[in-house]
Amino acid sequence: MKHKMRGLRSVYLEAIELPFVWERLVLADDLLSGITRDAELGRSTDAGRELANYLDPELNIGELLSINYQDAQVLVHDYARQKVRGLPHGSFLVASRINLDASTEVPAEDEETALVLLRIVGDYQLPNARQMEDYRFQAGMRATDSEETWDHPNRVDEWTKNNLSYGGYKCRVLGTFRMKEADDGTYKFSFGADLVNYYSGRGMKVYKPIGRLLSDIVNFQKTVGESEFGDAGRLRVGRVRFAASEIGVDETLDNVPVEVDPTDFVSRRTFYGGMSRGGKSNAMKITAKAVYLLRAKSASARVGQLIFDPNGEYANANIQDGGSIRSVHEAISGVEYADEIATYGLNEHPNDPQRKIVKINFYGARPTNWADSTAVGQALEQLIVGKQIIATSLGEAGEKYILAFRDADIVVPDDLSGRGDQIRLRREVQVYRGILKAAGFEAPSQTVDIRGLFSRDLRTAMQNNRCDGDNQTNITAAATILGNDSVSWEDFADALRGLLLFMEERDSGWTDFDRGYRDSHEGRPWDRGTINNLLQIFKYPNGVRSFMGLTKQHSARSTTDYAQEVVRDLRLGKLVIFDQSTGDPDQNVAAAERILWAIFNRQKADFVEPSVDDDGEIVPPPPVMVYLEEAHNLLPAAGGKDDLRTIWARTAKEGSKYRIGMVLATQEPSSVMPAILKNTDNWFVAHLNNTDEVRALSKFYDFEDYAHQIKSISDPGFVRMRTLSNPFTIPVQIDLFKARSE
């Protein structure tokens, strides 16, 4: 009973004390909530003041008359224009209702706490425009017989002059800046490329941004995903420039530095458009340098870059650059040239002893074991590549005998264990090599080994041929030559011409020989068609002359395919410069396409069948960038039927997936395949003097706002820039590239 009473008393006491405990807890919670609210209010007020601090009453240039989701109209007085040193076409304005004399809280989603970003795109006719035109006209007539201008106080009264000083600007609405609360509770300067709302019955003050505000506007970087290189930092590429006739350059006002994120270019497509001497090459060099310097931030941030150099200005020192981009490695201390830069060219250069000569051995190497299919394939790799180069150079049009040679395939079988298969392949290879020598390709030896390739039965049939006159004599002489173990290349070529006669002349005896061969070899013919097709090139003297121009790409001493060497250097993260200044234009195109195919196929193979690191993570292909200077000389013409099957279109459409970035520069944007421009992320647009070219670019982003400026202003380096992380286009004067930093 005593124990039971103690329990009841405990319950009674708890019932009495609980309200007091709960009240204390509620008071404590209210106190904490109040502290939290005060802290949040303090942060938001500080953020509001930060937003208000961006604005300067002295930079107020007028009133926002009207606005919608795309356009705005601004009222401006001449005094305000003069006070802020002009308002050129394309310049930025900000409109806001922020009270500059009071603290501003941020959380309200209203224009009271936002900066609306505008761009001047033209004039706006005020409602009283007709009346003001009449005033101007009358004042102008009164001034025609005087040296005074029509706005002189003697010609117009102050009230009228003041009214005439008002004008209107038509502006493009670019979006909204506001202080937005981040995950960590702090407020950060943020941007949205639209309006969340607008009010037709409310006015806004309009300011010209300069200094810090202008810098934060033009250098604002939107989030485009997590970079594999982490915080790579930003690099200056130039300064803001709105007009060719700018008053002066003062970085504290409207000519602030413009920076880019180098990672914007990695695995992306970049376009440089402009007339010759407009600064395209200069901008490309600055881009290449910015990407190269990523490795200074992180040893793993090595991006392979390949520059096709049509004029030699990237590979060779020049006065304009104070050297060449080959010197970019000097910007990072302790970096050796051979480890970072690789140059390729058709010819050696006295100032570049480490240059790799871009020639292949069209003859291939001599296999040590003809029974090993893999070893034979490796030895003949350059021969097969050379055959492909010749086939490409011959094109689709031509005489039947040339096309037959073009289409003759030399294929290494998977199984070469049979002696007959070995002899057949050796015979085809030596016949092809004999044709190369006849076309002027330097041979790796003085004689050609033909031991055992042309049987006694064949030679006997040739000696007993039933032709008449010179044909009979030539075929018989050929049989004699083919009976030797080794002969001179000249004699071998004569023998091949005789063999062609034997295989094609009526009643020569070839048909009987081939029938007997088939009977004794289980129906297999002596020639599967390859020999006959190859020999067609000897039908007429012009045959071997049709590809003599390719001898410049041949070296009997070459041991590797330069396309595969380029791929290896790129995958090591090197800056590769391919000097094409001394090459034939058609051969340059063919070489560029072959290299790009090699890059594409290797990157694709790594994507489709990736390797795995020690932690079991998939290893993506290494990033690679390809620069096409004078791209209209390399890219196929827009509008062709097979555009989408070219390596250029495939790289443009699929390259990002395989981590291949494409950078192209051209004077003719309209010549670029739409498939490429539609997949372009970064843009640098300089002067273009043709309406059609300007119209081609006006289809993309907001370049239409600058169409008149692009066509009329030809100052070198004055570009309209938009990169992956830029939410709007920025007019920039690109810095002059210098090979060596001061």
Side-chain angles (χ1 to χ4, degrees):
M1 183 66 179
K2 187 177 182 180
H3 176 73
K4 184 176 181 180
M5 289 298 296
R6 188 183 300 117
L8 291 173
R9 185 170 61 180
S10 298
V11 172
Y12 173 76
L13 291 175
E14 289 175 4
I16 295 175
E17 294 176 0
L18 185 58
F20 296 100
V21 173
W22 178 255
E23 183 178 350
R24 286 195 295 271
L25 289 174
V26 171
L27 290 173
D29 182 64
D30 288 343
L31 180 60
L32 290 173
S33 298
I35 294 173
T36 302
R37 283 194 300 272
D38 289 344
E40 290 176 350
L41 181 61
R43 287 197 306 272
S44 65
T45 301
D46 289 343
R49 291 197 187 101
E50 179 71 15
L51 196 64
N53 287 339
Y54 273 119
L55 303 178
D56 184 346
E58 291 299 313
L59 296 175
N60 172 226
I61 57 96
E63 296 288 328
L64 188 72
L65 295 181
S66 63
I67 189 171
N68 58 39
Y69 291 115
Q70 288 85 35
D71 304 303
Q73 285 74 44
V74 176
L75 178 67
V76 181
H77 193 276
D78 285 347
Y79 171 76
R81 278 188 269 227
Q82 182 182 25
K83 182 177 62 174
V84 298
R85 302 178 68 186
L87 295 170
H89 179 277
S91 58
F92 296 117
L93 300 175
V94 291
S96 181
R97 286 178 60 87
I98 292 178
N99 185 350
L100 303 186
D101 297 326
S103 63
T104 304
E105 295 182 22
V106 173
E109 293 293 330
D110 195 287
E111 85 268 28
E112 304 283 350
T113 55
L115 304 179
V116 177
L117 182 63
L118 310 174
R119 176 192 291 131
I120 297 175
V121 295
D123 296 326
Y124 166 63
Q125 290 291 320
L126 297 178
N128 65 344
R130 183 59 183 270
Q131 181 182 6
M132 294 301 102
E133 281 297 312
D134 288 342
Y135 286 158
R136 254 185 227 99
F137 175 67
Q138 296 295 332
M141 286 198 304
R142 290 193 295 271
T144 54
D145 61 348
S146 170
E147 294 183 357
E148 298 171 343
T149 58
W150 67 262
D151 62 325
H152 192 276
N154 292 336
R155 303 296 170 184
V156 62
D157 63 86
E158 287 299 318
W159 183 87
T160 302
K161 182 178 179 180
N162 183 64
N163 284 341
L164 290 174
S165 296
Y166 284 100
Y169 283 122
K170 179 181 178 181
C171 298
R172 183 84 63 224
V173 175
L174 300 180
T176 309
F177 281 106
R178 63 175 77 249
M179 303 302 290
K180 203 166 187 178
E181 188 173 10
D183 293 338
D184 59 2
T186 61
Y187 284 88
K188 296 182 179 180
F189 198 52
S190 66
F191 178 77
D194 56 11
L195 296 181
V196 69
N197 194 14
Y198 70 87
Y199 297 96
S200 301
R202 291 187 184 181
M204 301 177 79
K205 294 293 183 182
V206 181
Y207 304 84
K208 177 181 179 179
I210 65 170
R212 183 170 71 101
L213 176 56
L214 181 59
S215 178
D216 284 357
I217 288 173
V218 299
N219 292 306
F220 183 83
Q221 184 176 6
K222 67 181 181 180
T223 302
V224 292
E226 185 176 349
S227 171
E228 63 181 293
F229 303 123
D231 184 9
R234 296 173 65 81
L235 184 75
R236 172 178 169 138
V237 295
R239 62 177 178 84
V240 176
R241 185 180 185 184
F242 295 112
S245 56
E246 56 191 356
I247 296 174
V249 178
D250 184 348
E251 292 193 354
T252 64
L253 296 175
D254 55 351
N255 292 300
V256 302
V258 176
E259 300 172 337
V260 297
D261 183 346
T263 63
D264 282 353
F265 305 104
V266 180
S267 301
R268 301 287 179 172
R269 291 140 306 267
T270 302
F271 173 85
Y272 296 86
M275 298 294 295
S276 179
R277 311 307 301 170
K280 301 188 300 296
S281 297
N282 182 73
M284 288 182 73
K285 292 168 189 172
I286 287 180
T287 299
K289 182 177 181 179
V291 174
Y292 176 87
L293 292 178
L294 282 171
R295 69 197 64 204
K297 299 283 186 179
S298 170
S300 62
R302 298 173 60 85
V303 179
Q305 299 183 86
L306 169 61
I307 300 175
F308 288 107
D309 182 8
N311 301 314
E313 63 178 291
Y314 295 84
N316 307 307
N318 59 83
I319 297 175
Q320 173 182 289
D321 296 338
S324 76
I325 200 170
R326 281 197 298 116
S327 308
V328 70
H329 68 285
E330 297 177 3
I332 305 176
S333 61
V335 173
E336 296 295 330
Y337 168 87
D339 295 334
E340 298 291 333
I341 314 294
T343 54
Y344 291 74
L346 282 173
N347 303 301
E348 295 180 352
H349 196 285
N351 297 327
D352 187 10
Q354 294 173 302
R355 177 172 296 191
K356 301 176 182 179
I357 305 304
V358 291
K359 296 184 178 182
I360 66 170
N361 186 349
F362 277 63
Y363 288 82
R366 183 175 181 178
T368 56
N369 182 7
W370 282 95
D372 186 342
S373 178
T374 301
V376 171
Q378 292 174 349
L380 298 181
E381 179 181 10
Q382 290 192 72
L383 179 146
I384 293 172
V385 168
K387 181 65 172 61
Q388 292 171 347
I389 293 174
I390 292 174
T392 301
S393 72
L394 293 176
E396 297 298 326
E399 301 294 338
K400 287 184 178 180
Y401 70 97
I402 292 179
L403 297 181
F405 168 77
R406 181 202 66 185
D407 295 336
D409 283 334
I410 299 176
V411 179
V412 179
D414 294 334
D415 183 6
L416 278 174
S417 58
R419 178 169 174 77
D421 292 324
Q422 297 173 30
I423 292 176
R424 183 185 295 264
L425 178 59
R426 286 178 55 208
R427 184 164 54 230
E428 293 172 353
V429 167
Q430 295 299 62
V431 167
Y432 173 68
R433 287 171 172 167
I435 294 170
L436 290 177
K437 185 64 174 75
F441 287 75
E442 178 192 2
S445 60
Q446 297 298 316
T447 60
V448 53
D449 180 10
I450 57 173
R451 182 186 294 112
L453 299 185
F454 301 93
S455 66
R456 179 178 297 175
D457 291 342
L458 172 67
R459 300 197 308 271
T460 299
M462 292 175 68
Q463 289 171 340
N464 296 330
N465 76 86
R466 299 186 294 272
C467 295
D468 299 324
D470 290 343
N471 286 348
Q472 182 185 42
T473 302
N474 292 335
I475 295 173
T476 302
T480 302
I481 295 171
L482 296 177
N484 296 303
D485 290 343
S486 65
V487 296
S488 69
W489 289 100
E490 290 74 16
D491 287 346
F492 186 48
D494 290 339
L496 294 179
R497 292 185 179 93
L499 177 60
L500 176 62
L501 287 173
F502 179 63
M503 297 177 73
E504 294 213 325
E505 283 295 309
R506 180 178 295 181
D507 298 329
S508 66
W510 163 258
T511 302
D512 294 336
F513 164 76
D514 190 53
R515 185 184 302 113
Y517 186 91
R518 290 172 184 265
D519 290 342
S520 60
H521 289 81
E522 299 178 347
R524 188 172 65 178
W526 182 84
D527 172 35
R528 56 185 175 183
T530 303
I531 297 290
N532 185 272
N533 282 343
L534 288 173
L535 292 178
Q536 292 299 309
I537 205 71
F538 283 128
K539 261 194 170 181
Y540 301 97
N542 285 336
V544 293
R545 295 173 188 163
S546 62
F547 57 93
M548 278 184 172
L550 297 176
T551 55
K552 296 178 181 179
Q553 297 189 38
H554 165 69
S555 172
R557 291 168 293 280
S558 177
T559 59
T560 58
D561 177 9
Y562 64 83
Q564 297 303 324
E565 283 195 80
V566 168
V567 172
R568 283 191 289 270
D569 283 339
L570 290 175
R571 292 170 65 83
L572 290 173
K574 293 186 178 184
L575 173 61
V576 179
I577 305 170
F578 195 93
D579 186 354
Q580 296 186 307
S581 58
T582 59
D584 175 85
D586 291 336
Q587 294 177 19
N588 285 343
V589 171
E593 289 183 349
R594 199 167 69 82
I595 291 171
L596 195 52
W597 270 118
I599 294 170
F600 185 88
N601 289 333
R602 182 58 190 272
Q603 295 290 107
K604 180 180 179 180
D606 278 1
F607 179 84
V608 175
E609 298 180 0
S611 58
V612 179
D613 62 19
D614 295 338
D615 297 326
E617 297 291 332
I618 293 177
V619 179
V624 171
M625 293 182 64
V626 180
Y627 294 76
L628 308 180
E629 179 70 80
E630 303 297 345
H632 50 274
N633 293 330
L634 293 174
L635 299 175
K641 292 187 298 183
D642 297 328
D643 279 356
L644 298 180
R645 288 194 288 268
T646 65
I647 183 58
W648 312 104
R650 290 199 63 183
T651 302
K653 294 176 71 67
E654 305 173 45
S656 182
K657 177 170 60 177
Y658 302 136
R659 307 190 76 196
I660 305 173
M662 178 181 283
V663 182
L664 59 94
T666 181
Q667 304 171 25
E668 305 170 6
S670 63
S671 70
V672 179
M673 292 180 296
I676 293 179
L677 292 181
K678 289 177 182 178
N679 289 278
T680 295
D681 305 283
N682 307 298
W683 299 77
F684 292 78
V685 181
H687 170 59
L688 294 165
N689 67 356
N690 185 282
T691 300
D692 292 336
E693 302 301 334
V694 176
R695 187 182 298 116
L697 288 180
S698 296
K699 301 175 183 178
F700 299 95
Y701 289 115
D702 49 357
F703 292 118
E704 184 179 5
D705 292 349
Y706 294 100
H708 173 74
Q709 201 176 57
I710 291 170
K711 186 178 176 182
S712 61
I713 299 176
S714 59
D715 290 13
F718 187 14
V719 306
R720 274 48 56 176
M721 182 190 81
R722 181 164 186 152
T723 66
L724 182 66
S725 60
N726 288 135
F728 42 81
T729 301
I730 303 165
V732 183
Q733 178 63 45
I734 299 293
D735 289 339
L736 186 63
F737 171 79
K738 288 299 180 184
R740 293 176 172 86
S741 302
E742 300 296 335

